[in-house]
């Protein structure tokens, strides 16, 4: 059980997977090992995945843009850095275009709705590239990760209940 919680915590830090993959992983491991999904276990899983997903956020906001701009002309990492800069710029421009004055609410929804390519990593990078305010960005990303966590936990728990009753 402790290993599953630790792996879920670590998976939630991985870009593109984040807590969207970590929560279903944890619930799946518990279900496959016939560990009862008690409220305290679910709370532990949820909190650890939230924390794991948020740990990279300040580093992404403060350093990712600088690193990507530095690395885009380097031989080995240039292509990857250019890809992430372009992805971040496109995401940021779309967000800004659609949101207008509700930019931080749009960032919250972008991070909170668990779709491929959205999440704390991409949202924070886009906010960094758009020179958005750190405090408002952090609040929007935290709330978005909370929403994504609730959605993924609800879906994962529902699937686990359905499988266990089948």
């Amino acid at each position: 059980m402790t290993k599953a919680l630790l792996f879920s915590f670590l998976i939630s830090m991985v870009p593109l997977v984040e807590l969207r993959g970590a929560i279903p992983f944890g619930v799946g491991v518990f279900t496959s090992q016939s560990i009862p999904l008690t409220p305290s276990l679910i709370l532990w899983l949820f909190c650890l995945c939230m924390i794991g997903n948020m740990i990279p956020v300040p580093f992404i906001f403060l350093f990712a843009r600088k690193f990507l701009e530095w690395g885009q002309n380097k031989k080995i990492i240039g292509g990857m850095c250019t890809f992430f800069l372009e992805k971040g710029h496109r995401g940021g421009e779309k967000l800004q275009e659609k949101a207008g004055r509700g930019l931080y609410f749009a960032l919250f929804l972008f991070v909170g709705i668990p779709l491929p390519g959205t999440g704390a990593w991409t949202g924070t990078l886009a906010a960094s590239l758009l020179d958005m305010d750190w405090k408002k960005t952090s609040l929007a990303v935290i709330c978005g990760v909370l929403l994504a966590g609730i959605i993924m936990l609800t879906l994962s728990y529902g699937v686990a209940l359905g499988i266990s009753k089948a």
Side-chain angles (χ1 to χ4, degrees), residues 9 21 26 41 63 70-71 95 100 102 105 117-118 127-128 144 154:
F9 171 75
L41 181 60
F63 303 115
W70 169 84
L95 192 63
F105 184 71
T118 67
S128 175
T154 303

Side-chain angles (χ1 to χ4, degrees), residues 93-159:
E93 287 170 359
K94 282 182 190 176
L95 192 63
Q96 202 167 27
E97 182 182 303
K98 290 180 181 179
R101 291 181 15 181
L103 188 58
Y104 293 97
F105 184 71
L107 178 62
F108 155 71
L109 290 177
F110 180 81
V111 173
I113 297 174
L115 295 171
T118 67
W121 281 73
T122 308
T124 303
L125 178 59
S128 175
L129 294 172
L130 291 173
D131 292 320
M132 293 170 65
D133 179 69
W134 162 244
K135 289 180 183 178
K136 291 178 182 177
T137 294
S138 297
L139 182 61
V141 170
I142 289 168
C143 292
V145 170
L146 182 64
L147 175 62
I150 290 168
I151 291 169
M152 292 310 301
L153 188 60
T154 303
L155 292 173
S156 300
Y157 187 72
V159 168

Side-chain angles (χ1 to χ4, degrees), residues 9-76:
F9 171 75
L10 295 173
I11 290 170
S12 68
M13 288 190 230
V14 175
L16 301 177
V17 178
E18 301 182 33
L19 119 162
R20 292 155 169 71
I23 288 176
F25 169 81
V27 170
V29 168
F30 298 141
T31 303
S32 69
Q33 294 178 357
S34 299
I35 297 171
L37 294 172
T38 62
S40 62
L41 181 60
I42 290 171
L43 184 61
W44 270 104
L45 176 66
F46 184 80
C47 290
L48 286 172
C49 289
M50 279 286 302
I51 292 167
N53 202 172
M54 290 307 299
I55 285 173
V57 167
F59 299 101
I60 295 165
F61 191 85
L62 298 173
F63 303 115
R65 178 181 183 173
K66 292 173 187 168
F67 173 78
L68 293 173
E69 288 172 349
W70 169 84
Q72 69 183 5
N73 298 322
K74 306 296 184 239
K75 277 186 178 180
I76 296 173

